[in-house]
C-alpha cells in the first residue's frame, strides 16, 4: 500500500537548485538542505549538530522550487513519499 507522509525541514539551502528533465519531459529539481540543532548537555556543555538532506522535487513543484529557491534561503515543508 502506498502512503504519503509529511516531513517539515527548516534549514538553509546548501546550493542553488539544479533542474533537469526526464526523457518524457518532466522537470526534476534537486537541492541540499542543512538543518542545525543546538542543545545543552547534562553537564552544561553547549553542543551543536548539523544534518544534510538531499531533496528532489518533481513536476510543478520542481518548477516552483527552481524559481523561488536560492542558496542560503530557508526552506520549509517538504512532502515526502514513502513506498
Amino acid at each position: 500500500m502506498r502512503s504519503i507522509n509529511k516531513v517539515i525541514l527548516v534549514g538553509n539551502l546548501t546550493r542553488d537548485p539544479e533542474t533537469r528533465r526526464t526523457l518524457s519531459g518532466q522537470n526534476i529539481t534537486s537541492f541540499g538542505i542543512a538543518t542545525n540543532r543546538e542543545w545543552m548537555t547534562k553537564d552544561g556543555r553547549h553542543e551543536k549538530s548539523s544534518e544534510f538532506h538531499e531533496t528532489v522535487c518533481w513536476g510543478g513543484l520542481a518548477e516552483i522550487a527552481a524559481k523561488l529557491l536560492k542558496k542560503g534561503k530557508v526552506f520549509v515543508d517538504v512532502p515526502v513519499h514513502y513506498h
Side-chain angles (χ1 to χ4, degrees):
M1 177 201 276
R2 188 175 191 172
S3 65
I4 297 176
N5 294 294
K6 188 173 197 176
V7 175
I8 298 175
L9 296 175
V10 178
N12 296 324
L13 268 66
T14 59
R15 64 180 187 278
D16 286 338
E18 300 167 3
T19 301
R20 59 192 188 281
R21 287 184 182 264
T22 63
L23 294 175
S24 64
Q26 185 174 26
N27 286 330
I28 303 171
T29 299
S30 59
F31 50 92
I33 302 173
T35 56
N36 304 301
R37 70 182 190 116
E38 298 181 24
W39 69 96
M40 295 293 283
T41 63
K42 289 181 182 179
D43 60 355
R45 288 191 336 258
H46 187 88
E47 296 284 335
K48 292 182 182 182
S49 175
S50 298
E51 292 188 34
F52 299 91
H53 313 271
E54 289 300 313
T55 309
V56 178
C57 300
W58 294 76
L61 186 57
E63 293 176 33
I64 293 168
K67 288 180 186 176
L68 298 180
L69 301 178
K70 297 290 177 215
K71 181 180 176 180
K73 284 191 174 183
V74 173
F75 186 75
V76 179
D77 206 4
V78 178
V80 176
H81 298 269
Y82 291 101
H83 300 278

